[in-house]
Amino acid sequence: MSGTRAKAVAYVILPLVLWPLSFDVFSKYFVYGMALSTLLLGLLSLAWFRDRLRWFRVNTSVVIVLGLLMSGILYMIFVGGYALLKYMGLAGYVVLVYEMVRGMANAYALSIALVIIGFMEEVYWRGGLQESARELGGIFSNEPWIASMIYYTLVHISTLNPALIAGAFVIGLIDGVLADKAGLTASIIAHVMWLELMMVFLPLVS
């Protein structure tokens, strides 16, 4: 296997290692583990695939507005999803997520960690990985967000938490399309602001 191919393979499979470590093995230190994991993935994306990153695909002001608007829409979708899970008797899965995220970090540290996580997740998933998916051919050539959405959702299956898996699908879909059509900056704004709303400013679970 050539060095370039080995690098590409390692780049793709890293989440299969890092996600179980962050969500399962070191769940007591989840926020810091996830911050380190996404930082690694994001830095690799910037080092290896920075020429593929498309930060702006439309006007800068449009990108900012879209990012902020979609963060609010994402939050409302998750409010509805939580109501549905409560109706189905599955709200406990959401409580588990909040306990894992908010259990060990104060609000200030959590806010900073969420910026790192949201930013670097987008740089990897909707940046380097999604843009690389264009090379797969077929439907992925024009709609690479489909590949990143599927993989992003599948990676979360290891958590065995239906709320996290469903949430990953929603984020993968909306942020994937947003990055593809408006630019990576838009999906970064949406992801970071959504995380802050969900976990710091307007949490669904007190």
Side-chain angles (χ1 to χ4, degrees):
M1 182 181 293
S2 68
T4 300
R5 183 175 176 81
K7 181 174 72 173
V9 170
Y11 181 74
V12 171
I13 67 173
L14 263 175
L16 297 176
V17 176
L18 296 175
W19 255 238
L21 285 175
S22 298
F23 280 92
D24 304 316
V25 178
F26 300 110
S27 59
K28 290 184 178 180
Y29 309 97
F30 171 75
V31 171
Y32 302 119
M34 199 63 184
L36 290 173
S37 295
T38 54
L39 186 61
L40 172 61
L41 292 172
L43 291 176
L44 287 178
S45 301
L46 293 170
W48 292 350
F49 302 104
R50 60 182 176 275
D51 58 320
R52 299 182 182 181
L53 303 181
R54 299 294 179 264
W55 300 96
F56 296 91
R57 292 184 180 274
V58 294
N59 182 274
T60 302
S61 58
V62 173
V63 165
I64 295 172
V65 171
L66 280 174
L68 293 173
L69 177 63
M70 292 311 300
S71 68
I73 291 175
L74 277 170
Y75 179 78
M76 294 310 300
I77 290 173
F78 276 74
V79 168
Y82 180 52
L84 178 60
L85 288 174
K86 287 178 69 174
Y87 177 77
M88 297 170 63
L90 299 175
Y93 286 107
V94 177
V95 174
L96 287 174
V97 174
Y98 272 91
E99 289 177 347
M100 185 169 58
V101 173
R102 304 173 73 197
M104 60 166 296
N106 61 45
Y108 181 72
L110 179 58
S111 295
I112 295 174
L114 292 177
V115 171
I116 295 171
I117 293 169
F119 186 97
M120 290 301 184
E121 267 208 297
E122 291 304 308
V123 170
Y124 175 80
W125 290 103
R126 265 66 68 174
L129 186 74
Q130 183 162 301
E131 291 305 317
S132 296
R134 292 186 189 276
E135 299 177 1
L136 295 176
I139 190 174
F140 301 129
S141 295
N142 296 318
E143 307 295 345
W145 59 268
I146 295 176
S148 66
M149 176 193 70
I150 292 172
Y151 190 25
Y152 188 63
T153 304
L154 292 177
V155 162
H156 285 79
I157 290 178
S158 67
T159 67
L160 301 178
N161 186 321
L164 274 173
I165 297 168
F169 173 80
V170 172
I171 294 295
L173 170 61
I174 293 180
D175 277 355
V177 173
L178 191 59
D180 186 52
K181 308 306 179 186
L184 185 58
T185 301
S187 68
I188 289 173
I189 293 171
H191 199 144
V192 170
M193 292 305 299
W194 166 76
L195 282 174
E196 298 290 352
L197 286 171
M198 289 286 293
M199 296 299 169
V200 179
F201 298 110
L202 297 170
L204 302 180
V205 176
S206 58

